[in-house]
Amino acid sequence: MITGRLASRAPANRLQLLLIVALALAVRLAAAWVVGDARVPWNYEYEEIARSLLTAGRYAWDFYGLAPAQPTAFIPPLYPLLLAFAGWLRAAWALQAIQILLSLGTVVAVYGLSLSLRAREEEALTAGLLTAIYPPLASYAVTISTVTLEAFFLVIGSWLLVLAGRRLSLASALGGGAALAAAGLTRSTWLALLPLALVWLAWYPVAASLRRRLGLGLLVLLGAALVCLPWGAYNSRTFGVWSVSSTNGGLNFWIGNNPQATGEYVFPTEIDPDLVRQAAALPEFERDRFFYARGLQSVTAAPWRAARLYGLKLVYYLFFRPNIGSNYSQATLPLGLAQMLFIASWLVSLPLAVLGLTRLGPSRREHSWLALALVSQALLTAAFFAGTRFRTPLDVFALIWAAIGLVALWHRVRPIRQIA
């Protein structure tokens, strides 16, 4: 269905899309050349789990070296599995190559999503172009980060969901649920989009019968269940708990809501080493509840401070945290240039996106899904701590609106230039 939709475009437009993909490839290869083998000076949790998969055949982790390595559900499984697969290939460039291909797929999917949102051809191509050259997406494609995988599944899932609502397509609903669940198995907060997808499908297709809307919602759930079933079964078999989420939520909630919290990530043992060592000895799901309780205790002890901190985290999420890029401060990278590109590209996109939102016309109903995803994730993420990488997968939605605004601006300026 998706390929058929793209194939139906005029040859000239397909050529333009191909050129945009080629440009995206060139930008990502240039980013790979700049980054090289530079990285943060420690292994991420998903790297340690991937190494355990490769060396011991176990999905295991040692909780920052504070406990014996044992089976874990701390991190959702898809990115550690991708890292393990790249390591199994025994090629230094394997991970970058895989992520670049996924990032190119996101560029094409943004074009398709734009068309499903009733964008004109030039707007959809412009959205693909902005996605191709957007610095954060290019940078994350060549570094160890879940962002590329999240963006890919999020855009595919949103594309299929919008098609399901517009065409009342049962197959699209099934695929949309599966893709959104895959995003959730990359970073757990995306799972919150699944119940919102049911609400949106119950509201959006105004011409559909209640039975048809319920059918679409059930197929979204079925697609999601098929993807999440292996992870839920693993947790049930390993921990005796049926869960499709991860157990890092409690720790992240405490990091973002403790008496010393700043709204940004701080390594756990730098906050309270004794408390973290105490928690390391707990069973994993009990540890998760332990940190949620400690974070909630901090919130209830000082509610006004927690409210101010929540607002601060929202600002950091929607714009940038003060220490953007600090994790890479010890890496051999042109950090100042990267920070400037990240900030400038988002600040340029925002006013164009606002202009685009005023130009949606009758397609506002389709675009409401993008707005719902953006707002809900901002509100949810601010309950934990803020980071640019949490917002970046959603930046593609703002780029779609920015493309509409940019095309509108171009058509407004062009007659003036012709007269001049």
Side-chain angles (χ1 to χ4, degrees):
M1 177 181 62
I2 292 174
T3 53
R5 183 175 177 84
L6 292 181
S8 67
R9 300 287 136 189
N13 294 332
R14 292 203 302 269
L15 176 60
Q16 289 175 319
L17 180 60
L18 183 61
L19 291 174
I20 289 171
V21 172
L23 175 62
L25 176 60
V27 171
R28 282 147 184 77
L29 291 176
W33 178 77
V34 171
V35 171
D37 58 358
R39 51 158 297 132
V40 298
W42 62 83
N43 283 345
Y44 291 112
E45 298 93 327
Y46 30 74
E47 290 182 275
E48 293 291 349
I49 295 171
R51 184 169 65 177
S52 176
L53 284 168
L54 286 170
T55 58
R58 296 194 309 158
Y59 196 87
W61 188 47
D62 60 6
F63 194 69
Y64 303 108
L66 300 175
Q70 52 191 345
T72 186
F74 188 77
I75 294 292
L78 289 191
Y79 197 63
L81 289 172
L82 177 63
L83 289 176
F85 175 70
W88 176 77
L89 293 175
R90 297 183 180 277
W93 46 264
L95 180 64
Q96 286 187 337
I98 293 169
Q99 291 190 164
I100 286 173
L101 288 175
L102 289 171
S103 189
L104 298 182
T106 301
V107 172
V108 176
V110 165
Y111 169 79
L113 172 59
S114 301
L115 292 176
S116 73
L117 294 166
R118 304 189 190 188
R120 299 196 302 271
E121 188 73 32
E122 60 181 334
E123 293 169 338
L125 288 169
T126 303
L129 176 62
L130 295 179
T131 306
I133 62 175
Y134 191 59
L137 293 174
S139 299
Y140 283 120
V142 298
T143 54
I144 298 176
S145 170
T146 61
V147 167
T148 297
L149 204 59
E150 293 174 50
F152 177 77
F153 288 131
L154 176 64
V155 175
I156 293 290
S158 297
W159 184 5
L160 290 171
L161 190 70
V162 173
L163 287 178
R166 281 193 60 184
R167 300 178 176 181
L168 305 181
S169 168
L170 300 181
S172 294
L174 185 70
L180 291 177
L185 293 186
T186 307
R187 189 164 69 87
S188 293
T189 52
W190 298 117
L191 292 173
L193 292 183
L194 289 168
L196 294 178
L198 303 185
V199 173
W200 187 79
L201 283 174
W203 168 81
Y204 165 66
V206 290
S209 65
L210 178 61
R211 180 179 177 183
R212 190 68 170 184
R213 297 184 197 188
L214 290 175
L216 291 173
L218 287 174
L219 282 168
V220 167
L221 289 180
L222 177 60
L226 291 174
V227 171
C228 291
L229 183 62
W231 181 240
Y234 162 82
N235 285 329
S236 178
R237 184 177 65 253
T238 306
F239 305 103
V241 178
W242 184 268
S243 172
V244 296
S245 185
S246 55
T247 59
N248 62 352
L251 180 63
N252 289 335
F253 184 73
W254 174 71
I255 290 172
N257 299 277
N258 65 78
Q260 293 83 41
T262 64
E264 301 184 73
Y265 177 77
V266 179
F267 200 77
T269 54
E270 295 179 12
I271 302 171
D272 191 334
D274 294 334
L275 181 69
V276 175
R277 291 191 188 96
Q278 174 190 345
L282 297 173
E284 188 154 312
F285 278 84
E286 187 177 337
R287 182 197 304 149
D288 192 37
R289 292 190 292 270
F290 172 83
F291 278 117
Y292 268 121
R294 286 299 180 126
L296 187 59
Q297 180 182 348
S298 178
V299 170
T300 55
W304 288 111
R305 178 186 181 278
R308 289 195 300 270
L309 185 61
Y310 184 85
L312 189 64
K313 288 184 284 188
L314 268 179
V315 173
Y316 290 169
Y317 180 87
L318 295 173
F319 294 96
F320 294 96
R321 61 190 180 94
N323 295 310
I324 177 176
S326 57
N327 287 348
Y328 290 88
S329 59
Q330 300 178 49
T332 55
L333 285 172
L335 189 59
L337 175 62
Q339 291 170 332
M340 183 187 70
L341 288 174
F342 271 52
I343 294 172
S345 60
W346 179 240
L347 294 182
V348 169
S349 301
L350 274 180
L352 290 172
V354 172
L355 176 60
L357 282 169
T358 67
R359 310 284 296 189
L360 295 181
S363 65
R364 288 191 187 93
R365 205 170 181 89
E366 286 88 353
H367 283 265
S368 62
W369 167 251
L370 309 190
L372 184 62
L374 274 163
V375 172
S376 63
Q377 285 295 305
L379 296 175
L380 178 60
T381 303
F384 298 86
F385 59 84
T388 306
R389 61 191 173 93
F390 300 142
R391 194 203 64 228
T392 300
L394 287 163
D395 287 0
V396 293
F397 294 166
L399 293 178
I400 291 173
W401 296 331
I404 296 171
L406 187 59
V407 169
L409 190 62
W410 170 252
H411 283 294
R412 186 176 298 178
V413 170
R414 187 169 58 176
I416 298 174
R417 293 184 61 185
Q418 289 174 340
I419 292 171

